[in-house]
Amino acid sequence: MSKIIAIANQKGGVGKTTTSVNLAASLAVLEQKVLLVDADPQGNATTGVGYDLKELKATIYECLVDGLEPKEAILKTDIENLFLLPSNIDLVGAEMLNFEEKESVMAKVLAKVKDDYDYILIDCSPSLGLLTVNSLAAANSVMIPVQCQYFALEGLGKLLNTIKIIQKRLNTALEIEGFVLTMYDGRVRLSNQVVAEVRKHFEEMVFDTLIQQNVKLAEAPSYGQPVILYDAECRGSVNYLSLANELLEKNKK
Ligand code: ATP
Ligand code: MG
C-alpha cells in the first residue's frame, strides 16, 4: 500500500522542510521507497537533497501546468530509495492557475506515480494558497509540524479549518497523521510548556518523538544532504529515525 502525506503549516519556519527531507530520508533508510515532492517555490527540499535550483531541467511546475509526466521530472538522490520531484521559483505561477478542477491537479499528477512508492511526502509552502490546497486534496493524510516556540498554537485553528473544508469538498478521506513537535530544547521552560500544551490539546494525535533543537539539522542543507548523510550519529538523525519508526508502526496493518 502506498501513502501520500502532506507536511503542512501555513506558519513559516516551523520545520516543514526539515521534517519532509529528513523523515523521507529516514523512511528510505528503513527500506521504504520514498518520493519527496517539493511543493514550495522556495525549493528548499530540492536544494536540501543536493540539487541546484538553476540547473533543473524539469520541475513539478511542468507536471501541474503542462501535463508533463512526473516520471520525466523525478530525480534520484544520494540515498537509494529516495527520489525527488523538484521545484523552483517557476512554481509561483501555479498559484494562479485558473482552469476547471484547479484544486485537483496535484492529485492527478501523483496518481500517475503513486503505486511506484511506499510513501510520498509533500513539503508544502508557508501558505494556505492553491498549492497547499492541491497538496491536501492529493494526500491521504497531513502531518503538522509545530515549533516549540512562542505562539506555537497560533494559526493552527485556521489550518484545521482549511483541512475540514477540504475533507468536506475535495478529499473526504483526508486524515490527520499527527502533530510533530520541532526544535525542542529541554533546558528551556517554554519548550516544555509548549509540549504540555500541544499534548493536552491534541492528545494521542501528537507523535511521541520530539524533534530536538540540533545544529546539524540546520547545517546539513547547506551541504545538500539529509542529516543522516551529514552526521548519522547526531541527535537530529536519531530523532528523525525515531519519527520514521513511529510512523511505520502506526501504519502497520
Ligand atoms: P518555510 O515556512 O519557510 O517553508 P519551514 O517550515 O519549512 O519554513 P524549515 O526550513 O524546515 O521550516 O526550518 C526553518 C529553519 O530552522 C531552517 O533554517 C532550519 O534549518 C532550522 N531548523 C529546523 N528544524 C530544526 C531543528 N530541529 N534544530 C535546529 N534547527 C532547525
Ligand atoms: Mg519549507
Side-chain angles (χ1 to χ4, degrees):
M1 189 210 72
S2 61
K3 184 162 197 181
I4 304 180
I5 304 176
I7 298 177
N9 186 338
Q10 80 277 20
K11 197 165 175 171
V14 297
K16 292 179 290 296
T17 301
T18 304
T19 298
S20 303
V21 168
N22 292 300
L23 178 60
S26 300
L27 288 168
V29 167
L30 295 171
E31 296 181 344
Q32 305 294 307
K33 193 171 174 199
V34 185
L35 177 64
L36 173 63
V37 176
D38 194 343
D40 184 348
Q42 296 182 98
N44 294 336
T46 300
T47 51
V49 294
Y51 282 95
D52 185 336
L53 299 184
K54 283 176 269 154
E55 285 171 13
L56 298 171
K57 295 201 174 68
T59 68
I60 186 171
Y61 174 81
E62 286 83 11
C63 302
L64 293 170
V65 176
D66 301 330
L68 180 75
E69 285 295 318
K71 282 190 182 105
E72 304 290 320
I74 289 172
L75 301 166
K76 288 184 182 164
T77 73
D78 290 340
I79 295 182
E80 206 191 324
N81 280 340
L82 176 61
F83 297 82
L84 171 76
L85 180 51
S87 136
N88 61 17
I89 192 71
D90 292 349
L91 191 59
V92 169
E95 285 287 6
M96 289 167 266
L97 287 184
N98 199 1
F99 46 75
E100 259 180 67
E101 299 186 358
K102 62 180 181 187
E103 293 94 355
S104 311
V105 200
M106 179 90 78
K108 283 182 192 142
V109 168
L110 295 185
K112 295 181 186 168
V113 290
K114 188 174 181 198
D115 292 341
D116 298 343
Y117 299 93
D118 298 305
Y119 282 92
I120 298 181
L121 302 190
I122 312 176
D123 181 26
C124 295
S125 70
S127 100
L128 291 173
L130 185 55
L131 278 167
T132 300
V133 168
N134 259 281
S135 300
L136 294 172
N140 297 108
S141 68
V142 52
M143 186 181 276
I144 304 169
V146 177
Q147 186 182 357
C148 297
Q149 243 321 325
Y150 287 110
F151 309 120
L153 294 170
E154 191 191 57
L156 281 185
K158 198 167 175 206
L159 174 61
L160 293 173
N161 205 32
T162 303
I163 292 170
K164 271 196 196 125
I165 293 170
I166 288 171
Q167 285 167 330
K168 221 187 234 167
R169 305 213 183 128
L170 291 168
N171 182 3
T172 50
L174 179 66
E175 290 178 356
I176 295 184
E177 190 70 51
F179 295 81
V180 184
L181 290 154
T182 65
M183 297 181 235
Y184 171 77
D185 182 348
R187 297 164 304 178
V188 178
R189 203 194 319 159
L190 175 71
S191 246
N192 289 299
Q193 286 169 345
V194 172
V195 172
E197 197 180 354
V198 172
R199 290 209 164 126
K200 188 167 156 224
H201 214 86
F202 297 109
E203 300 174 343
E204 74 285 353
M205 286 162 87
V206 185
F207 281 93
D208 292 335
T209 303
L210 290 173
I211 305 299
Q212 291 168 275
Q213 187 81 247
N214 180 214
V215 68
K216 305 279 180 173
L217 282 168
E219 287 170 0
S222 57
Y223 297 88
Q225 287 180 329
V227 74
I228 206 156
L229 291 184
Y230 180 61
D231 182 347
E233 308 275 298
C234 74
R235 243 179 309 147
S237 295
V238 173
N239 289 166
Y240 276 107
L241 265 176
S242 157
L243 183 65
N245 274 312
E246 204 182 334
L247 179 76
L248 290 176
E249 194 56 41
K250 210 177 141 192
N251 284 280
K252 229 189 206 156
K253 285 281 130 59

